């Protein structure tokens, strides 16, 4: 047996042990007896099942403080959907919790027998959410990307999630085969007017539900770290008052789009109508707080999935 076969067999054993422990409710002693292994091996296999992402855990009991914060956010900012997840005081992650909650919401929408158009943005949180989805057969739905998937060096943008989603969800997928930010306003205009792009833009405008991330515009801004804008462009956006971006569109503390600079070259589709559809932002953390506050105040989004700490800060600031 070669190393690849051994690895596959090991994961099979881990999946079986994980199923026996989490689904069948067996103890580790029972798993050891069932699989003919030692208790220590059974324990290691269950741990491997978790670390390899073979086990997905969801807590179905609503937590009172999260529900209260969600209701207050929904009322304060006139939002149509809010979900608040518990905060982990020991974690600095900006995805844990909200990625799982977003995955559950995306899965719920995709399980609808009625055809829908789902638009998706990009970013670390959204990618983490998509990676939580189980394999699904949804030929009745259409999934459309709001943003380009080509990096400045011509490679595929790492945090563009349309292809990750296409691997897991068998629905009709519509990528945006464009650079995230064009080299000039003229190039952007030319690209967006291509016959193969126009139907994708039209489909994005018809989305029933949209999921987007919110990127901050601090020193570690995703647009800058991922190579889409230069340091001088980042500083120019900051000087113009930019605090955050959604699918590349940079806005200030009032939720107003920054004029010129990179916004005149962004090749993303416009955000779908918040009056006729649901646009849900997945965002948490202190660095993103000004951007989240601006987005909900200006109604750039009308849905929010966040954590307790961020929810409380939004209510205190808003």
């Amino acid at each position: 047996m070669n190393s690849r076969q051994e690895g596959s067999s090991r994961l099979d054993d881990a999946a079986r042990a994980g199923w026996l422990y989490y689904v069948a409710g067996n103890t580790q002693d029972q798993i050891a007896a069932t699989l003919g292994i030692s208790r220590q091996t059974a324990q290691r296999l269950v741990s491997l099942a978790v670390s390899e992402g073979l086990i997905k855990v969801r807590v179905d009991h609503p937590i009172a403080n999260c529900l209260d914060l969600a209701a207050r956010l929904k009322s304060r900012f006139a939002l149509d959907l809010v979900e608040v997840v518990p905060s982990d005081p020991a974690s600095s992650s900006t995805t844990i919790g909200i990625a799982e909650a977003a995955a559950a919401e995306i899965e719920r929408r995709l399980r609808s027998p009625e055809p829908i158009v789902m638009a998706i943005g990009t970013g670390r949180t959204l990618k983490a959410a998509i990676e939580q989805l189980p394999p699904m057969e949804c030929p009745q739905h259409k999934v459309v990307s709001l943003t380009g998937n080509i990096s400045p060096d011509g490679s595929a943008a790492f945090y563009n999630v349309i292809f990750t989603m296409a691997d897991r969800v068998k629905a009709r997928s519509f990528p945006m085969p464009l650079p995230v930010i064009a080299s000039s306003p003229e190039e952007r205009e030319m690209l967006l007017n291509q016959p193969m792009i126009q139907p994708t833009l039209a489909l994005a405008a018809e989305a029933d539900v949209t999921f987007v991330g919110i990127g901050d515009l601090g020193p570690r801004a995703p647009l800058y770290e991922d190579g889409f804008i230069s340091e001088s462009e980042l500083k120019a956006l900051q000087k113009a008052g930019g605090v955050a971006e959604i699918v590349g569109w940079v806005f200030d503390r009032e939720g107003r789009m920054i004029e010129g600079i990179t916004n005149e070259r962004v090749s993303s589709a416009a955000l779908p109508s918040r009056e006729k559809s649901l646009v849900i932002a997945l965002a948490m953390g202190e660095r993103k707080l000004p951007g989240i506050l601006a987005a909900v105040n200006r109604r750039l989004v009308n849905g929010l999935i966040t954590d307790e700490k961020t929810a409380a800060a939004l209510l205190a600031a808003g």
Side-chain angles (χ1 to χ4, degrees), residues 1-309:
M1 183 182 293
N2 62 35
S3 60
R4 179 175 295 181
Q5 289 172 322
E6 288 176 359
S8 177
S9 176
R10 182 76 169 167
L11 286 181
D12 284 348
D13 291 342
R16 188 177 296 276
W19 188 91
L20 288 168
Y21 187 77
Y22 287 101
V23 179
N26 285 196
T27 66
Q28 290 176 0
D29 286 329
Q30 289 171 319
I31 295 170
T34 300
L35 299 183
I37 56 179
S38 69
R39 185 182 184 281
Q40 290 77 15
T41 301
Q43 184 178 24
R44 285 196 293 269
L45 286 174
V46 171
S47 297
L48 179 63
V50 174
S51 66
E52 289 294 326
L54 307 181
I55 303 297
K56 306 286 192 255
V57 179
R58 289 181 183 167
V59 178
D60 288 332
H61 180 74
I63 297 173
N65 189 52
C66 291
L67 292 177
D68 177 62
L69 287 168
R72 290 165 61 194
L73 280 175
K74 194 171 183 180
S75 174
R76 175 77 62 86
F77 298 106
L79 297 170
D80 298 316
L81 179 146
V82 178
E83 182 163 357
V84 176
V85 303
S87 296
D88 178 1
S91 174
S92 60
S93 170
T94 57
T95 66
I96 288 178
I98 62 171
E100 288 78 5
E105 183 65 22
I106 292 169
E107 182 180 345
R108 186 176 73 82
R109 302 275 174 174
L110 290 175
R111 292 208 181 277
S112 167
E114 295 299 317
I116 64 168
V117 176
M118 178 181 291
I120 54 174
T122 186
R124 291 152 175 77
T125 308
L126 193 52
K127 184 175 175 65
I130 299 304
E131 289 172 346
Q132 297 282 334
L133 291 176
M136 300 176 69
E137 296 282 342
C138 316
Q140 73 274 30
H141 301 318
K142 296 177 181 178
V143 181
V144 58
S145 178
L146 289 179
T147 186
N149 52 42
I150 302 175
S151 295
D153 63 0
S155 64
F158 185 74
Y159 292 106
N160 187 288
V161 300
I162 187 73
F163 300 116
T164 306
M165 193 159 185
D167 286 341
R168 295 177 179 271
V169 178
K170 303 310 177 192
R172 293 187 66 192
S173 297
F174 296 82
M176 194 85 75
L178 298 173
V180 176
I181 298 178
S183 60
S184 68
E186 293 75 24
E187 181 186 70
R188 172 187 180 273
E189 192 71 18
M190 181 270 292
L191 291 170
L192 294 182
N193 281 320
Q194 294 298 309
M196 68 177 294
I197 300 300
Q198 286 291 304
T200 304
L201 292 173
L203 187 64
E206 297 170 5
D208 299 292
V209 61
T210 300
F211 293 88
V212 296
I214 296 178
D216 73 278
L217 226 65
R220 297 178 58 195
L223 278 180
Y224 170 62
E225 284 204 331
D226 297 342
F228 297 117
I229 62 174
S230 66
E231 185 177 8
S232 61
E233 287 170 331
L234 174 61
K235 289 180 177 178
L237 289 166
Q238 292 169 339
K239 188 175 180 179
V243 297
E245 52 87 15
I246 297 176
V247 294
W249 298 110
V250 177
F251 51 92
D252 66 14
R253 288 182 180 275
E254 304 301 319
R256 296 172 301 210
M257 294 295 164
I258 300 298
E259 292 187 13
I261 314 178
T262 57
N263 271 359
E264 64 184 3
R265 297 186 281 118
V266 173
S267 59
S268 301
L271 289 173
S273 168
R274 277 75 73 200
E275 305 310 314
K276 298 187 295 183
S277 68
L278 190 56
V279 179
I280 304 169
L282 328 175
M284 62 184 271
E286 187 177 352
R287 286 192 293 122
K288 297 189 178 188
L289 190 60
I292 302 171
L293 186 60
V296 295
N297 264 327
R298 193 75 172 188
R299 205 171 169 80
L300 299 179
V301 300
N302 55 354
L304 178 65
I305 298 176
T306 192
D307 75 321
E308 283 178 291
K309 187 176 180 181

